[in-house]
Amino acid sequence: MTRPGALRQWMLDGLVDRSNRHTGPGVRGPDPTAGKPWWRVMCLTGVDYFSTLGYQPAVAVAAAGLVSPIATLVLVALTLLGALPIYRRVARESPHGEGSVAMLERLLSYWWSKLLVLVLLGFAATDFVITITLSSADASAHVIENPLVGSALQGWEVPLTIALILLLGVVFLAGFHEAIGIAVVIVGIYLVMNLVVVVGALVRIATTPQLVVDWGAALTTQNGNPLVIVGIALLVFPKLALGLSGFETGVTVMPLIKGAEGDTERSPEARIAGARKLLTTAALIMSGFLVTSSFACTVLIPLPAFGPDGPANGRALAYLAHEQFGDVIGTAYDLSTIVILWFAGASAMAGLLNLVPRYLPRFGMAPDWARAVRPMVAVFTLVGILVTVVFDASVDAQSGAYATGVLVLITSASVSVTLSARKHGQRAAFAGFAVVSVVFVYTTVTNMVERPEGLKIGLIFVLAILVVSFASRAARSFELRITAVHLDDTADHILRDAHTLDPESTIRLIANEPDRRDRAEYHDKELEERYDHHIPSGDALIFVEITVGDPSDFEEELHVLGEYRHGYRILRARSASVPNAIAALLLELRDRTGRAPHVYFEWTEGNPAVNLVRYLLFGVGEVAPVTREVLREAEPDPSRRPAVHVG
C-alpha cells in the first residue's frame, strides 16, 4: 500500500520554491518535457486545433448553407492574414508561456492589472475547460452514432463523456512526456485519415464536374448577385469561429519547445523561432483542410442531411467516409476522430497547466500547491466532470461558450499587439493590426449577440475565478510573502555596528512612517518610543521605514537600504505590504545575529475592520498586530520569534 507521505510527494512533484519560479510542465531543465522539437509540440496543440475537422465542415454548412465554402474562405483569410501574424508577434513578445495575457498585464498596474488578468483567465478557463468537455462529448456522440454500435449506447452520453475526461486526467497524471508522445501518434493518424477522405471526395467531384455546376447554379439561384453571396459570407463567418481555436494554446505551451545553446531567459530565440514554425505550419495545414472539406461537404452532401437529426449533423467528413469507402473504412475514420476529439482536451489541459500557475499563485490567489502539475490536473478534471453533468454532455449547449472563450482571447491578443506596435512606433503594423482588431471585435460581439448563453457561461467562469482568487488572497495574506531579504552595504554596516558594539544587547527597531524626515521627526519619535516602552537611554535604536509600492503584488524580494541621517541609523525598503516586510526584516536580523530583535509600534487609529481591509488592499492598516501574526505563522517557536511591542 502506498504511504500517504509518498502519495503527497508524488502529487507535489515539481512544486516551485519560495522564489516564485514556476517549475511546472513548461520549464526547461530536469523536467522531462523540456526540449521537445516544435513539430511534436504542434501535435499537442494540434489535437485541439485539428480535431475541429470532426465537426467544423458540418457547422459551416449548417450556418451558411450553400455559401459555406465562401464563408470558409473568409475564415481562412482571417486566420492567415489576421490570427497568424498576431500570434507570431505574441510568440516574440511573450515567449514564456504567458500568452497575450502577459502583454495586456504590462499595460496596467496595481489592482487594475490583476483584475484584467483574472477576467482574461476566466475566459481562458472557459475556452480550455469547455474544449475538454465539448470534445469529449463530441467523441461520445461519434461513438453512439456509429452504425456498427446502433442503439446499444443510447442515453449513455454523460457516463461515456465522464469516462473519457477521467482517462485524459490519468494520462496527464502519468506525465507530460506521455501526453506529447500520444499526441504525435493521434495527430499523424488523424491527418492521414482526413487526407484520404478529402482527396477521395475531391477526386469524386473532379470526375463528376456536373456536381460543381449544380452547386453553382443553386448558389446563384438562391442568392442572385455575387456581391450578395460575399455579403452573406461576411455576415455568417463569425458562426464558424470554432475553426480559430488553437492559437492561444500554441503560445501558452511555448516553454515545451526545444531551445538552443545561445538561448537566454530574456531572449529565447530558438524557442521563439520554433513557436512561429508551429503556428504557421498548423495554420497552413488547417486552412487547407478547412477549404477543401467545406467545399467537398457542401457539394456532395444533401443539405437536409445537416439537419438536427440528419446523418451528417456534426460529422460531415465521417458521413463522407462511410458513403465513399464503406463502413469498415468509415469506422476506422470514426475511431480516429473519436480518439483525437477525446485527446483534444490534452491541448487544453496543457494550456491550463502552463497558464494558470504562472498567474494565480504569483498573485497569492491560489494555494502554493497550485504550482505543481498533478494537483491542478485533478482540479481541472473534476471541473470538467461538473461541467459535463451540468450541460448533460450536450455539444450544442457548450459550443457557444467555447466560441466565446476562443474569440475573447484572440481579440485580447489582437488588441495587445496593436498597442505594442503603436508603442514601438511601427505605423504600418499598427494600422494592419488595428484593422484585424476591429474585425475580431465585430466577430466577438456578433457571436455574443447571437449566442448570449456563451457569454453567460464565460461570465460564470470569470466570477468563479474572481471569488476563488480573492478568497485565497485573503486567506494567504498573513504568510511571510517575502522570498528573500537583501541588505545593501550601508544596511549591513548598520547591523554589524549595532551587533559588534554589544553582542549581548537586544537589537531594537522603531517602525516609523516617514513624513518630513527632518531631525525633529526622528528626535521626537525616539523620545516617544523610549518613554512609552521604557527603553533605556543607553540602548541603541534603529529606525525602520517601509513605503508601499504596488500593494497588489504578493510575493517579492525585499531590498533594504541603509542610511545615516541627522545622526540616526535608518533601514529603508519598498514593499507591497508594510507588516510582511517588517516581519521578514526581523527574521533576517535574527538569523544574522543569532538574537531575536524587538520592534516598537504605535497603535493605528481607526476602525479595526476598516484597517484590516486597508491592509488587504493597500498593504497598510493595522501594522503592529498583523506584523505579529505574520511572525507567529512564520516562526512557530515563541523563544525564537522576534518581539513586537505596541504603545
Side-chain angles (χ1 to χ4, degrees):
M1 183 177 291
T2 304
R3 292 181 291 110
L7 177 61
R8 184 178 186 277
Q9 183 178 4
W10 179 75
M11 286 293 289
L12 297 180
D13 181 44
L15 184 66
V16 297
D17 58 23
R18 297 294 296 173
S19 64
N20 197 33
R21 291 188 177 275
H22 174 63
T23 58
V27 171
R28 304 165 73 186
D31 190 274
T33 64
K36 303 299 181 187
W38 65 266
W39 60 269
R40 290 176 67 89
V41 181
M42 182 189 73
C43 291
L44 181 62
T45 63
V47 288
D48 170 24
Y49 194 24
F50 300 143
S51 70
T52 57
L53 288 171
Y55 49 82
Q56 180 68 17
V59 170
V61 177
L66 296 174
V67 184
S68 171
I70 314 300
T72 302
L73 283 175
V74 175
L75 178 68
V76 167
L78 187 59
T79 298
L80 298 179
L81 302 179
L84 180 58
I86 284 170
Y87 278 95
R88 282 174 61 89
R89 179 148 186 157
V90 171
R92 162 65 59 187
E93 298 195 20
S94 182
H96 303 299
E98 296 166 316
S100 60
V101 177
M103 297 176 65
L104 286 174
E105 182 190 11
R106 292 193 289 265
L107 297 175
L108 299 173
S109 59
Y110 297 96
W111 284 107
W112 291 113
S113 67
K114 306 298 188 293
L115 188 61
L116 173 63
V117 168
L118 292 177
V119 170
L120 291 177
L121 284 180
F123 282 107
T126 304
D127 177 9
F128 294 150
V129 171
I130 297 296
T131 296
I132 295 172
T133 58
L134 182 146
S135 298
S136 297
D138 202 31
S140 300
H142 275 73
V143 172
I144 292 169
E145 293 169 8
N146 183 274
L148 299 182
V149 174
S151 60
L153 294 177
Q154 290 294 329
W156 283 76
E157 291 86 354
V158 173
L160 187 56
T161 301
I162 290 175
L164 292 176
I165 293 173
L166 286 172
L167 184 59
L168 179 68
V170 169
V171 171
F172 272 82
L173 286 174
F176 257 60
H177 180 76
E178 288 75 7
I180 293 178
I182 295 171
V184 172
V185 175
I186 291 174
V187 167
I189 293 174
Y190 184 68
L191 290 181
V192 169
M193 292 299 297
N194 274 278
L195 187 64
V196 169
V197 173
V198 171
V199 168
L202 294 178
V203 168
R204 181 178 166 191
I205 292 172
T207 55
T208 315
Q210 187 61 38
L211 292 170
V212 180
V213 174
D214 292 344
W215 168 69
L219 184 65
T220 305
T221 301
Q222 186 180 83
N223 302 289
N225 194 318
L227 292 178
V228 174
I229 296 174
V230 173
I232 294 173
L234 292 173
L235 288 174
V236 301
F237 94 88
K239 297 180 180 179
L240 281 58
L242 296 180
L244 291 167
S245 66
F247 281 100
E248 189 71 26
T249 311
V251 292
T252 59
V253 300
M254 276 185 66
L256 297 173
I257 298 174
K258 184 177 181 179
E261 289 295 329
D263 278 8
T264 63
E265 187 67 16
R266 187 179 184 84
S267 182
E269 293 299 326
R271 182 195 300 172
I272 293 170
R276 288 180 151 193
K277 291 177 183 176
L278 180 159
L279 293 167
T280 303
T281 305
L284 289 173
I285 291 173
M286 189 63 176
S287 296
F289 274 118
L290 283 175
V291 171
T292 53
S293 64
S294 175
F295 176 68
C297 291
T298 305
V299 171
L300 293 176
I301 302 176
L303 288 181
F306 293 99
D309 298 320
N313 179 39
R315 53 189 301 274
L317 287 177
Y319 175 92
L320 286 180
H322 282 273
E323 185 187 54
Q324 293 178 161
F325 302 107
D327 285 343
V328 175
I329 300 298
T331 298
Y333 180 85
D334 277 338
L335 287 174
S336 69
T337 304
I338 290 165
V339 172
I340 197 170
L341 282 170
W342 159 65
F343 211 64
S347 174
M349 187 74 81
L352 285 168
L353 293 175
N354 273 285
L355 191 64
V356 172
R358 296 180 186 277
Y359 289 100
L360 295 188
R362 175 162 62 88
F363 294 170
M365 293 179 170
D368 241 3
W369 53 257
R371 291 183 173 121
V373 174
R374 291 189 176 101
M376 295 308 294
V377 171
V379 169
F380 295 138
T381 301
L382 291 175
V383 172
I385 292 173
L386 177 63
V387 170
T388 297
V389 172
V390 169
F391 291 100
D392 200 30
S394 169
V395 174
D396 291 337
Q398 299 174 74
S399 60
Y402 183 36
T404 299
V406 169
L407 288 171
V408 168
L409 291 180
I410 293 181
T411 301
S412 70
S414 64
V415 171
S416 65
V417 299
T418 301
L419 295 175
S420 173
R422 181 183 179 185
K423 178 180 177 181
H424 290 87
Q426 300 166 333
R427 294 185 177 180
F430 169 70
F433 287 135
V435 171
V436 173
S437 296
V438 170
V439 174
F440 277 121
V441 169
Y442 157 75
T443 306
T444 303
V445 172
T446 301
N447 177 77
M448 290 178 177
V449 171
E450 293 183 353
R451 308 195 68 174
E453 73 279 2
L455 177 61
K456 293 175 183 177
I457 296 170
L459 291 178
I460 290 173
F461 273 89
V462 170
L463 180 61
I465 288 279
L466 290 173
V467 171
V468 172
S469 297
F470 282 104
S472 178
R473 174 67 178 250
R476 296 188 60 196
S477 290
F478 298 111
E479 295 179 10
L480 191 60
R481 294 171 53 181
I482 302 296
T483 58
V485 179
H486 306 282
L487 275 65
D488 73 351
D489 292 340
T490 305
D492 188 60
H493 182 270
I494 289 174
L495 177 61
R496 285 188 289 106
D497 186 43
H499 184 57
T500 303
L501 289 176
D502 186 359
E504 299 301 319
S505 67
T506 299
I507 296 179
R508 303 181 188 275
L509 295 86
I510 296 177
N512 181 50
E513 185 176 355
D515 188 10
R516 302 181 307 275
R517 303 196 77 225
D518 57 12
R519 180 182 297 274
E521 177 181 336
Y522 294 106
H523 176 268
D524 294 344
K525 184 72 172 179
E526 179 181 7
L527 287 179
E528 180 183 358
E529 296 301 330
R530 287 189 186 275
Y531 176 79
D532 288 343
H533 301 286
H534 311 291
I535 302 172
S537 59
D539 287 8
L541 297 175
I542 301 174
F543 285 89
V544 177
E545 298 178 347
I546 307 296
T547 55
V548 177
D550 183 350
S552 66
D553 288 339
F554 187 74
E555 289 184 338
E556 60 184 347
E557 296 185 356
L558 187 69
H559 296 270
V560 182
L561 308 178
E563 180 183 3
Y564 291 96
R565 188 179 182 88
H566 306 304
Y568 296 95
R569 294 175 295 182
I570 305 169
L571 299 178
R572 298 165 46 229
R574 186 177 179 86
S575 175
S577 169
V578 173
N580 304 75
I582 293 176
L585 178 59
L586 291 170
L587 293 172
E588 178 71 14
L589 298 185
R590 179 205 64 185
D591 294 341
R592 288 187 178 224
T593 63
R595 298 180 66 84
H598 290 225
V599 64
Y600 300 89
F601 295 95
E602 291 181 357
W603 283 113
T604 304
E605 294 294 332
N607 184 289
V610 173
N611 281 330
L612 180 60
V613 173
R614 291 179 61 216
Y615 163 68
L616 294 174
L617 295 179
F618 307 114
V620 293
E622 290 284 7
V623 176
V626 172
T627 301
R628 198 269 177 187
E629 178 59 22
V630 172
L631 287 170
R632 189 188 67 81
E633 289 199 10
E635 177 50 77
D637 184 357
S639 65
R640 301 189 68 246
R641 190 183 301 151
V644 176
H645 304 267
V646 191

